[in-house]
Amino acid sequence: MKHYILYTVALTSLAIPTMAQETYESANIATQDLNGTARYVGMGGAMEALGADISTISTNPAGIGMFRKSGINFTMGATAVKGDDTSVADKLNITGKKAPMSFDQFGFVYANETSQGNFINCAFNYHKSRNFNQILSHMGDLKGASLNKLAYQKGAIGDARNGGYYVDFNTDDDLIGYYSELSPVTSQCFSQVDYLLWNAFIVDPNDGDAYYYDGYDYLFARNQRGYISNFDINLSGNHNDRFYWGITVGIKDVNYKHEQAYSEDINDSKGNAAGYYDLVDTREITGQGYDISAGIIFRPIDASPLRIGFSITTPTWYELKSYNYTEIINKGYDENLRQPIGFEGNYNTNDEYKYKIFTPWKFGASLGYTIGKQIALGASYEYADYSSIDNRYISGYSYDGYLDSETADSKSDKIMNNHTEKSLCGVSTVKLGAEFKPMPELAIRAGYNYVSQMYEDKAERTTMLNTDGCYFSSSTDFVNWKATNRFTFGVGFNIDDYTIDVAYQHSQQKGDFHPFETVTVDGSLNKAPVVEVNNNRDQFLITLGYKF
């Protein structure tokens, strides 16, 4: 084994303010769920051209222009989630509520008739556009691959003073070796996980040599929870029941948290069991963002109920803060060397930093058609190019870590954005919905959504980019989620000016889980077997409303 200098700075804590985010966490923040009133969800959200439901306030603001009466409503719900292997989550003590109740929506519309058949309406609505609740857990064989090999490889290129390795997406090559001018402890190519593994596990404290070990199997569990709240303010209008317009200003509040644990059993050089190590990570992301939506709906033929709608939404301009606490518990023992692996005990790192994310533009088109007063049919299409997500870092930090408010600004992280461009793709969302009223007091609804996959098949989350986003990564796992299918059903009751709506939504999604990225170590491919995981949800909603 090569001889290395031991860097002990990472054994306690790291607290350097910085500025960037990485592709997979940005994608998690940028996406949205189907949520809102029970009527809207029951019809699969396909109401952008039909309008007259407050949940269209952010998807096609012109839908608010169709209200002829003022109204107020609120929605309560519960979302049931489950992990792929709940016994693993229990073993790692990563547990959470599987069907938490939530307050999902509250809004009101003031309808103002300015002249016969013409309205200028205003509205306010709160709803949860993103529900982060998810329990993901799995166990699998590693067949010799290991997370500690990934950290070893970064320091093993060159010596410890010139260690560093990253993927350069500005070239046509997939992997480019790089000799950093900085040591591994200060090089941005090293993540927080690498620091912990190198200093607490890989380097022998007795002689300073570095060793890596084969992985035998692993346990993984993550309890992810939180939400993004939308506060939407709308101004809209109706011109002679032929043309409708609307504009909405949206303010978003992000509250995300996860606790996760990765436990890996290892073998020594002779294939003997050599104990294990655990990596436990807690991360919180908070912050705000805002966007603007605009839309129109028109009836091209006066005698026909056909409605056509178009909408556009600006990027959401997020400013976020992330905090993590990450700990390694080293229980490795090399029988061949007759000594503990690395430093026995627990070591940790933690950090807090601010950054910005600008999500992609969204474009929508929709159709609505009614047959008498009994049947309403809706279809919507939305497109967003998630490969254009702009990961940004905050500039203006002084050498001692304090933000100079006069010079603070944000700049695009070009290296991370190149990774995002190659890892994510454009997403198409198709929504279909129908409502049938066998009698004026009763409505029966059904809907369907198809959301195409966001991740390229060969995409990998990496901590090898020479960016602050990789440096501040405190976990290495990732899932390349596939397409989403949603099925919705609902029932509505009208009692004078009161409404009661109930909806059920079932969402199905599969993905490929990777505990860590693939690299070559000493000429051999360090690749963990890919595991298929599921993200299935069941949501129940009830909305109470009053029109006046």
Side-chain angles (χ1 to χ4, degrees):
M1 293 293 176
K2 293 182 179 180
H3 190 72
Y4 291 86
I5 298 172
L6 176 64
Y7 294 91
T8 59
V9 66
L11 290 179
T12 54
S13 65
L14 302 167
I16 305 171
T18 192
M19 318 123 182
Q21 188 52 284
E22 60 88 25
T23 297
Y24 278 75
E25 286 196 4
S26 295
N28 194 30
I29 296 292
T31 51
Q32 295 185 353
D33 299 321
L34 174 64
N35 201 17
T37 67
R39 181 182 179 223
Y40 180 81
V41 172
M43 291 188 66
M47 299 190 67
E48 281 71 29
L50 291 170
D53 188 282
I54 199 166
S55 290
T56 63
I57 193 170
S58 58
T59 54
N60 187 344
I64 305 301
M66 291 189 178
F67 277 90
R68 291 175 165 271
K69 296 181 68 175
S70 301
I72 186 171
N73 54 25
F74 70 92
T75 303
M76 299 292 293
T79 302
V81 298
K82 64 178 182 179
D84 282 84
D85 193 334
T86 54
S87 64
V88 173
D90 292 339
K91 289 178 182 178
L92 296 176
N93 197 29
I94 302 294
T95 58
K97 293 182 179 179
K98 295 179 173 58
M101 294 289 296
S102 63
F103 181 69
D104 284 81
Q105 179 271 330
F106 169 79
F108 63 85
V109 176
Y110 173 70
N112 178 39
E113 187 172 15
T114 57
S115 61
Q116 184 66 35
N118 295 289
F119 287 78
I120 298 293
N121 299 341
C122 58
F124 168 82
N125 189 55
Y126 158 82
H127 83 284
K128 291 181 178 178
S129 63
R130 185 80 167 97
N131 183 347
F132 292 116
N133 289 0
Q134 182 185 18
I135 300 173
L136 180 65
S137 55
H138 193 76
M139 61 187 303
D141 295 329
L142 287 170
K143 302 184 184 303
S146 175
L147 178 58
N148 82 92
K149 290 183 179 181
L150 176 63
Y152 173 89
Q153 176 67 8
K154 293 182 184 181
I157 297 177
D159 56 38
R161 293 175 183 173
N162 291 333
Y165 192 67
Y166 74 104
V167 181
D168 186 350
F169 282 89
N170 292 309
T171 72
D172 294 330
D173 298 328
D174 290 332
L175 295 176
I176 302 295
Y178 175 73
Y179 293 86
S180 172
E181 296 179 357
L182 305 174
S183 71
V185 170
T186 58
S187 170
Q188 294 170 342
C189 302
F190 257 53
S191 71
Q192 296 183 72
V193 173
D194 298 323
Y195 289 149
L196 291 174
L197 285 170
W198 254 92
N199 289 278
F201 183 80
I202 292 174
V203 177
D204 185 348
N206 297 312
D207 57 18
D209 283 349
Y211 301 85
Y212 62 78
Y213 298 86
D214 291 338
Y216 178 72
D217 58 18
Y218 71 91
L219 302 176
F220 173 85
R222 178 173 62 236
N223 175 26
Q224 176 180 292
R225 60 186 185 275
Y227 54 87
I228 298 179
S229 296
N230 273 37
F231 301 88
D232 295 314
I233 302 170
N234 171 274
L235 182 66
S236 56
N238 172 352
H239 182 67
N240 293 327
D241 281 333
R242 290 288 302 276
F243 180 77
Y244 311 85
W245 58 270
I247 185 168
T248 295
V249 176
I251 301 172
K252 303 177 189 294
D253 184 62
V254 178
N255 292 274
Y256 170 90
K257 186 175 184 180
H258 77 226
E259 293 106 13
Q260 70 177 48
Y262 173 84
S263 180
E264 181 177 300
D265 291 323
I266 56 174
N267 290 336
D268 62 21
S269 58
K270 292 187 175 181
N272 299 317
Y276 67 93
Y277 61 88
D278 293 343
L279 280 167
V280 181
D281 179 61
T282 299
R283 181 171 291 275
E284 297 181 16
I285 300 175
T286 58
Q288 291 74 42
Y290 63 93
D291 59 18
I292 301 173
S293 301
I296 61 171
I297 302 170
F298 61 93
R299 291 194 298 116
I301 303 172
D302 186 36
S304 172
L306 175 66
R307 301 167 186 171
I308 301 174
F310 295 99
S311 62
I312 184 172
T313 302
T314 68
T316 301
W317 297 287
Y318 281 115
E319 182 168 344
L320 304 170
K321 181 174 70 174
S322 180
Y323 170 80
N324 75 282
Y325 176 87
T326 310
E327 183 178 35
I328 184 172
I329 298 96
N330 182 10
K331 297 294 184 181
Y333 192 91
D334 194 320
E335 292 287 351
N336 184 40
L337 297 176
R338 291 293 175 183
Q339 65 183 30
I341 294 173
F343 289 83
E344 290 187 288
N346 300 5
Y347 301 94
N348 66 78
T349 175
N350 64 85
D351 237 311
E352 180 179 295
Y353 65 101
K354 293 182 179 180
Y355 59 96
K356 292 186 178 182
I357 299 172
F358 295 170
T359 68
W361 288 81
K362 294 181 182 178
F363 305 91
S366 53
L367 297 173
Y369 193 82
T370 57
I371 302 174
K373 295 183 178 181
Q374 287 76 41
I375 296 176
L377 304 173
S380 301
Y381 174 81
E382 181 183 85
Y383 179 80
D385 182 8
Y386 286 92
S387 69
S388 67
I389 288 176
D390 187 6
N391 304 281
R392 303 178 70 85
Y393 62 87
I394 305 294
S395 58
Y397 279 98
S398 62
Y399 73 93
D400 55 0
Y402 289 99
L403 181 64
D404 184 346
S405 59
E406 295 183 359
T407 60
D409 197 0
S410 67
K411 296 181 180 180
S412 294
D413 185 340
K414 294 182 179 180
I415 296 177
M416 186 59 71
N417 285 345
N418 285 337
H419 177 263
T420 299
E421 183 178 357
K422 294 183 179 296
S423 301
L424 305 182
C425 54
V427 173
S428 295
T429 301
V430 177
K431 298 188 285 188
L432 303 174
E435 179 182 70
F436 172 59
K437 289 186 175 182
M439 60 185 70
E441 299 79 13
L442 175 65
I444 301 171
R445 306 174 183 117
Y448 170 73
N449 281 188
Y450 173 81
V451 184
S452 65
Q453 72 179 53
M454 178 189 298
Y455 299 92
E456 297 287 354
D457 290 335
K458 295 183 179 181
E460 280 197 325
R461 181 185 185 186
T462 180
T463 59
M464 290 186 173
L465 299 174
N466 190 20
T467 72
D468 292 327
C470 288
Y471 167 76
F472 280 85
S473 293
S474 56
S475 58
T476 61
D477 64 281
F478 62 97
V479 182
N480 287 338
W481 293 109
K482 307 298 184 181
T484 302
N485 290 277
R486 301 178 181 133
F487 305 89
T488 67
F489 304 94
V491 178
F493 304 92
N494 291 328
I495 305 172
D496 296 329
D497 290 327
Y498 296 90
T499 59
I500 303 174
D501 297 292
V502 179
Y504 165 73
Q505 175 184 182
H506 176 69
S507 176
Q508 298 176 342
Q509 187 180 34
K510 295 183 181 297
D512 293 333
F513 174 80
H514 304 253
F516 45 82
E517 64 193 284
T518 300
V519 296
T520 300
V521 181
D522 285 347
S524 299
L525 200 63
N526 186 55
K527 181 177 182 179
V530 179
V531 176
E532 184 178 81
V533 293
N534 297 285
N535 180 22
N536 297 334
R537 297 185 179 189
D538 294 288
Q539 183 185 32
F540 300 87
L541 295 169
I542 181 169
T543 300
L544 304 179
Y546 175 68
K547 298 177 181 179
F548 54 92

